[in-house]
Amino acid sequence: MNYPQRSDALILGIETSCDETAAAVVEVSRRRVTVHSHVIASQALTHAKYGGVVPEVAAREHVVAIIPTIDQALKRAKTKPVDLDRIAVTSGPGLMTALQVGVETAKALALAWKKPIFAINHIEGHIASSFLPFQKKPAHQAAIRFPALALIVSGGHTELILIKKLGAYKLIGATRDDAAGEAFDKVAKLLGLGYPGGPAIARAAERGNPRAYGFPRPMLTSGGFDFSFSGLKTAVLYKLEGRRPSNKNVPDLAASFQAAVVDVLVAKTMRAAEMLGVKSLLLGGGVAANSLLRQTLNRRAGALPGLTYFQPNLGYATDNAAMIAMACSFHRRPNPLMKVNADSSWELV
Ligand code: KG4
Ligand code: ZN
């Protein structure tokens, strides 16, 4: 078996946990995965005006975008509702009012179209994202072997998750304060780079020297697998010494900060992979779009004998609905319609 699916199905995925309204049609069969469509209505420009996601605004935008987005996903996939086998929706974690839009829409459609509904955890979606092939091209990846380890790095989470098998997860380490993506966003704000901060820092870093500033590597040598990123943000603030960021120092600050985050993430992940003797390593979450992190982890994982490394194709690192449909294929049983509810603090482990 090449893919971690447990059943063959044509799945409509719906995702509204933060600031992307997304819908996708994904077919998971015994031998391959096909993304028939993958539509994202991003609210990033709206929230950029406020310097971050405003939950009330996000919910309102989801309400406007959700039906057209699902309609587009079905049209692009040339799929009629009757052809669908399942509806999968992100039920948590995320912003409550944002999640509710996706969940209530999915329930209404499941009822109207008489389809089984699956409540999917957003973090499990990020874990599943590495198994998605480029749009419409059938999958062609190496098989995942267990136990596996996932590094999930997003705007709200930084977690190391041990996967004994799909569905059996154990938290090995997590951030004690800011998530990695949150640190990127906050430092970008300090540097006047706008929102979302991750891509902006990565772009600025291309012109900078990663060794220009010796930022700390928080908790690098601590025994456990927890992370801490808020001190790094304070370190950047101190380097600015009350001055406004300038074209002269921003690229070096961005590159040095990015190098520090990547160093810590990679070192801890590789140490966990070695100590736990895992056979596969998976990267997921919005920060998985970061090229330095991708390249470094790929290189380091490649040097560990017996370890197979998976990372999401670029379009599937940040929030999307194809990963929610993919995660749905890990499950056998649908949820009773009336028990599907948004749960903003639903932790996978
Ligand atoms: O998974 P995601 O799309 O949403 C959440 O579930 O939070 O992750 C969004 C986070 C943001 O903090 C964003 O700044 C970060 O991912 N991000 C990046 C990059 N692209 C997005 N961080 C670093 N480098 C990137 N290229
Ligand atoms: Zn996410």
Side-chain angles (χ1 to χ4, degrees), residues 11-304:
I11 307 168
L12 171 66
I14 297 172
E15 153 68 41
T16 64
S17 68
C18 192
D19 60 344
E20 323 276 9
T21 316
V25 176
V26 179
E27 187 174 4
V28 185
S29 71
R30 189 155 289 280
R31 302 197 67 81
R32 61 188 190 185
V33 179
T34 312
V35 179
H36 291 287
S37 67
H38 155 55
V39 181
I40 299 176
S42 178
Q43 307 172 4
L45 284 176
T46 309
H47 297 289
K49 282 184 265 174
Y50 305 99
V53 179
V54 184
E56 265 313 302
V57 176
R60 229 181 305 139
E61 297 244 332
H62 283 311
V63 169
V64 175
I66 187 78
I67 296 294
T69 302
I70 293 171
D71 194 41
Q72 271 288 317
L74 291 171
K75 280 200 176 116
R76 283 191 203 169
K78 299 189 175 58
T79 299
K80 294 194 200 71
V82 68
D83 302 327
L84 294 170
D85 297 305
R86 297 171 165 204
I87 296 177
V89 63
T90 306
S91 303
L95 302 171
M96 189 59 188
T97 51
L99 287 164
Q100 276 171 331
V101 178
V103 166
E104 295 310 320
T105 306
K107 284 165 78 173
L109 295 178
L111 194 63
W113 296 342
K114 300 189 175 59
K115 299 293 173 186
I117 186 167
F118 289 70
I120 302 298
N121 185 290
H122 184 81
I123 301 301
E124 191 172 38
H126 280 305
I127 290 174
S129 65
S130 286
F131 303 111
L132 291 164
F134 281 122
Q135 200 155 348
K136 302 214 172 174
K137 280 200 187 145
H140 55 88
Q141 281 193 14
I144 182 172
R145 291 178 305 133
F146 300 103
L149 180 71
L151 170 67
I152 303 301
V153 270
S154 69
H157 289 76
T158 298
E159 293 183 345
L160 276 170
I161 299 168
L162 181 65
I163 309 172
K164 282 177 240 158
K165 59 180 184 164
L166 291 169
Y169 306 108
K170 187 173 173 204
L171 189 67
I172 298 300
T175 182
R176 296 202 177 160
D177 39 58
D178 292 351
E182 190 179 358
F184 270 94
D185 293 334
K186 285 180 174 171
V187 168
K189 212 172 193 175
L190 286 177
L191 300 182
L193 292 172
Y195 172 86
I201 296 246
R203 264 194 310 277
E206 282 170 19
R207 294 174 282 117
N209 174 4
R211 280 183 286 275
Y213 296 91
F215 287 131
R217 268 51 177 168
M219 300 183 75
L220 186 66
T221 50
S222 67
F225 299 119
D226 281 353
F227 303 91
S228 165
F229 292 108
S230 71
L232 208 42
K233 173 195 64 196
T234 316
V236 175
L237 187 66
Y238 282 153
K239 292 284 182 214
L240 283 170
E241 292 173 333
R243 291 192 299 270
R244 286 162 67 93
S246 72
N247 280 345
K248 259 171 78 183
N249 62 4
V250 164
D252 284 349
L253 284 165
S256 303
F257 162 77
Q258 178 178 256
V261 174
V262 169
D263 262 7
V264 177
L265 288 173
V266 171
K268 290 239 150 164
T269 303
M270 292 313 299
R271 199 188 304 151
E274 257 181 281
M275 283 179 65
L276 300 166
V278 296
K279 296 183 176 146
S280 308
L281 175 63
L282 288 84
L283 176 65
V287 185
N290 186 276
S291 350
L292 182 66
L293 176 60
R294 296 167 76 86
Q295 283 160 16
T296 316
L297 207 50
N298 193 11
R299 183 164 32 83
R300 292 284 305 278
L304 200 64

Side-chain angles (χ1 to χ4, degrees), residues 1 4-9 30 85-86 116-118 120 124 165-167 327-335:
M1 182 177 88
Q5 82 285 351
R6 289 197 177 153
S7 58
D8 299 359
R30 189 155 289 280
D85 297 305
R86 297 171 165 204
I117 186 167
F118 289 70
I120 302 298
E124 191 172 38
K165 59 180 184 164
L166 291 169
C328 174
S329 75
F330 300 169
H331 298 271
R332 259 185 222 289
R333 258 186 266 281
N335 299 100

